[in-house]
Amino acid sequence: MTTPEVAESRRNANSLMRHLPALRKTVGLVLLAALAFAFLVPILWMTVMSFQEGGKMFNLRTEWIPAVWHFENYPNAISRAPFVQYFINSGIVSVTVMAGNVVFCTLAGYGLAKFHFRGSGLVLLLILSTLMLPLEVTLVPTFLIVHKFEWINTYQGIVAPLLIDAFGVFLMRQSIISIPSDYIEAARIDGAGELRILLQIIVPQCLPALSVLAIFSFRDSWDQFLWPLTVVSIDRLRTYPLGLVQFGEEYGNPATEQMAIAVLATLPVFLLFMILQRSINRGFGLSGLK
Amino acid sequence: MKKSALGIPSRRDVVRSIGVAGLGAAVSVPIARRAFAQTKKPVDISFWTFDNPQQRPWVHKRVKMFMVQNPHVKIDFQWFAFGDLGKKISVGFATGTAPDGFVSQDWFMPVWLDKGLLAPLDVKQLGYDNFTAFTGDFAKAFVDGATKDGKVYGYPMWFYGYCNYLNAKQFKEVGLNVEKDWPQNWDQLGEVAKRMTVKDGDKFVRQGFKFAMHSSQWTMIQYNPILLQSGGKWFDDSGKCTINNEAGIKAMTIRASIAQKYGAEDPADSIATNPIPGMDFLKERASMFFCHPLPTSLVKAENPAMEAENYFRPVQYPGVQTGKGFSTTYGFNLVINGKASAEKQEALHDLYKFMMSDLVDAWKDAAPFTFAKKTGWADNPEVQKFPYVNEIIRAKDEGVFLPRSLVFNELADSMHRAVQKVMLSKADIKKTLDEAAAEVDRATAAYKKA
Amino acid sequence: MVELTSSEPYQHGGLTGPPPVARRFWQIHHRQRIRLWGIAFVLPTLMFFAVFKYGPMMWAIELSFNSYDMVSTPYFVGLDNYRSLAADPIFRETLINTFVYIAGSTILTTVIGLSLALAINTGIPGARHCMTAMFLTNLMPIIAVCLVWRFLLHPYGLVNQILQPLGFGRIDWLTSSSTAMPAIIMVTVWRFAPYFMVIFLAALLALPEDYYEAAELDGAGAIRRFIHITLPLLMPTIFFVVVVSALLCARIFLMPYLITGGGPGNATRVLSMLIYETGFSYLKMGQAAAISVVLFTIMMVFTALQIRLFARSEQVYM
């Protein structure tokens, strides 16, 4: 029910809208870009500093464009400790954890989403509860368990407690719940085995969620510090966070070289994100975004 | 030691190295013993130490040399950040994966000893005739921390005292003479610091003096002498923490005076992040700084001019009374895990003896970190040619030890918090110290119960 | 394979299957078999959690009633650990700090995340790229985040350099007890808001158009539309964001540990740090276990409250 006044104001509004869309959109974009830039400033600062000479780190005025680019910070930093080995170790651990999460969270998520056995609600709650226990207290018992498997100072030992994350189970469950059950039923009637159904129907339909799971499980294991610190006591199995923190604790290491290692550490996660980006966007439900 | 293209020492090198090392050890090691050792069955030992760019490579070098001379011994050598070593070893003991031998920071000795985790050392295997000969090779305070009930549990290695490092060039700038005007008591420290301070409005361009505030261990090391000089004690005879009595308040007031009374320090402003605590001093933004002996390579890395012109100068810690200054002496012991098998313990004894047999070599690699041992290095010309080395040795010899307490970590953390509250939040000194003492007493009570 | 009781062969397609009796029997087995598959899918994960989560959790609860210094055998002390916690001012301060941190970070992250999502959702071309750029902060390795921010928050660091021309004096972010916790919260929000922005954005995109069209026809302004349509429809998402954010914040360890070390004084000490110090620095694993049981209980209670509140708010708005 529209009154003449409302109709009038809407006509005026419409005419304004006709003239201002371009201006409005430009101003909006500028503001958004400024906001994005503000968020990125620390990352940019880190990158700029990684090319600066050590003393510049503590200048009272930041030099945003280096007068002298010190590319040698990177090879210098890497040579101060076996960072190549550290990064390889981190890579092995993170890829394995990512794969483990992808496989087992999908299985468990599917089982909880589409199979109604007695106690599935309780199982869901049990899995939720694991999110509430911080690592710091389970550190020693987890270490003891890993020790019992004789996995101290092995890749399996670092990977083991990280292999499945409850958050991933929820994510996959949410995603799989929305798959119409008719497909599955039809396939069963057609005689397809459960594993076939999983691989040929479920997985393709939840690839976006899998991408989200992949990037986050990779990032979480890439970030791990406390657990590798506890379970690794030989140098050739250290992951890069241990090396990076120890790097800053040695006399004579320029802080800018520490920034160089930090930049190198950031690259793989960003790269994985770029590769999976389209799928991740869909996984988040952002395909409607222009 | 020269290596062949494959990185394996040639036979000639091995023989030569045996000769060099043997010369140092031959005085106390009967040759027959070495021959006997070589017919023994293979031994695998693990050895952990703390990380330091000068000290760790030298220890590693000695370990490698030892393995060459004793092919039946294989040593897995690992190192950890200074602050992490204690924790790694604790977790190791908790899970049965502790190393067979390791370097222990001396303030942890009471805990290891109280829990019976260390094996007693056989001083004969280390090259001493008997217990008295061993203890005679060290000042009493060093072995107090390593012996219990007439048995030796640690072989004191590196021990050093803190010095007050001065920027001699800046001293000259303000018209002071380092030889005559170095601060001998705390008031003088404040005055000199005030003169050296340069400000731009409210901002400090140069602080006259700087206390390191980044770690609880440094806090303890710096505060320990102030408390003792003021007539205070960490604990009284019944075990109660007494940092909050009159002497304790005096000590904290002194600690705060440089910043609060003389306006020569800015506790919140530090370009140092843990643990490059001397950064402000090395970058000449602070004129004086308490520190362990500074290696020239470190100074050179941060400030080549300072190293080249040698204007960083250690002097003794100031005292409450003129001429009565002393600093903290702290260090590291070589110890053996009580659960290590007999063969491993024997191999470790040999290793430790070998390591400590050529301290001049250690000095060459890791100067000016000093040793607890009296003999075998201090008079050597190599050592003596290091600038101001006798100041550094004196700081070690005349220093006092950190409280050897079963709750050292809790004590250190409480003190650290107290200093932060007083310096950064301008809290009331008495109230803060009362809180800290209460925390420590609680920790002591909890430990006693357990 | 199940034995068929009928001699008629089962035909593909199911339409001309076995006679009714046999089919029911087969179907029962079929359903059971499917259920078993479901259990089989979930079982590896459950077993994994049993070994690596529940086992340690049970061990921790049991340990909280013991005294354990990591090198001797544990021995029973009943409620002593909990009693000494209740009497410990540091524990109380840490508890308060943790609540302040969770509340501050969660509220700010939710509000800012939602605002960012609304800003991106304005249909401006290029907004998606801005969103991607902001999301990068959530991917940056946490160690790098801590190291960089420690430098940025120095009294003469970048943050103060920017604030100074705006008239602010020098702020000792990490060394003043009044600004240390806000600084940590700020870093937390910087890292997590973009992630929740994406979650909110997805929810906004999924909102049905009809409500908005109807409201516009009725002359409702943008703000009224937001309050009466968007917010209620977003309630489930807001609930999700608040719960997840609170859970993440309760577990936070590295940020305060690497940036301020719990200082100055006790200003930024949070429960997870206290657990780590009590267990690994002071070798009091029993007490550390007690603290983590407390933390775990808080989170359980908090989540339960959330669910209760959400159910009630659903009734109000729907």
Side-chain angles (χ1 to χ4, degrees), chain B residues 394-424:
Chain B
R394 188 174 151 212
K396 163 189 69 102
D397 286 334
E398 296 180 10
V400 288
F401 278 75
L402 290 169
R404 293 206 172 101
S405 158
L406 291 169
V407 292
F408 182 83
N409 278 332
E410 286 93 319
L411 175 64
D413 284 349
S414 287
M415 266 326 288
H416 192 57
R417 275 194 293 270
V419 168
Q420 281 178 335
K421 285 181 192 161
V422 169
M423 301 305 299
L424 299 172

Side-chain angles (χ1 to χ4, degrees), chain B residues 243-264:
Chain B
I243 54 179
N244 57 342
N245 61 14
E246 213 180 295
I249 295 176
K250 180 171 169 194
M252 186 59 94
T253 312
I254 291 177
R255 168 72 174 79
S257 64
I258 313 297
Q260 293 177 1
K261 179 170 164 204
Y262 294 98

Side-chain angles (χ1 to χ4, degrees), chain B residues 136-291:
Chain B
D137 200 16
F138 303 92
K140 181 170 179 302
F142 294 106
V143 289
D144 274 350
T147 55
K148 189 173 168 182
D149 303 329
K151 294 214 191 93
V152 177
Y153 289 92
Y155 193 173
M157 197 184 182
W158 275 299
F159 272 81
Y160 20 92
Y162 265 35
C163 291
N164 185 6
Y165 272 89
L166 313 174
N167 186 322
K169 190 160 100 174
Q170 290 173 352
F171 259 67
K172 217 153 133 200
E173 260 173 48
V174 300
L176 291 170
N177 181 331
V178 169
E179 299 293 331
K180 285 199 280 126
D181 302 318
W182 67 273
Q184 300 196 32
N185 62 39
W186 291 100
D187 285 324
Q188 284 178 8
L189 184 71
E191 296 291 340
V192 171
K194 191 155 145 201
R195 258 178 90 163
M196 315 272 309
T197 303
V198 176
K199 283 175 98 158
D200 171 18
D202 256 350
K203 196 149 84 164
F204 278 87
V205 172
R206 184 168 84 200
Q207 302 179 47
F209 175 82
K210 193 119 194 76
F211 273 106
M213 282 185 58
H214 65 288
S215 97
S216 54
Q217 279 152 8
W218 277 70
T219 296
M220 286 298 286
I221 293 171
Q222 289 171 121
Y223 193 78
N224 184 37
I226 306 178
L227 178 67
L228 298 175
Q229 287 168 10
S230 305
K233 276 181 11 170
W234 291 102
F235 299 97
D236 67 15
D237 293 328
S238 68
K240 182 166 163 8
C241 182
T242 53
I243 54 179
N244 57 342
N245 61 14
E246 213 180 295
I249 295 176
K250 180 171 169 194
M252 186 59 94
T253 312
I254 291 177
R255 168 72 174 79
S257 64
I258 313 297
Q260 293 177 1
K261 179 170 164 204
Y262 294 98
E265 189 198 7
D266 184 0
D269 169 19
S270 169
I271 61 173
T273 52
N274 170 38
I276 321 176
M279 196 61 133
D280 282 306
F281 174 77
L282 294 172
K283 296 295 186 193
E284 308 202 36
R285 286 166 38 92
S287 308
M288 297 188 278
F289 182 68
F290 292 149
C291 192

Side-chain angles (χ1 to χ4, degrees), chain B residues 39-60:
Chain B
T39 60
K40 291 199 150 184
K41 59 180 199 222
V43 177
D44 271 336
I45 55 185
S46 53
F47 180 80
W48 293 3
T49 183
F50 65 97
D51 197 11
N52 170 287
Q54 289 85 29
Q55 293 164 315
R56 187 252 307 153
W58 178 80
V59 176
H60 202 172

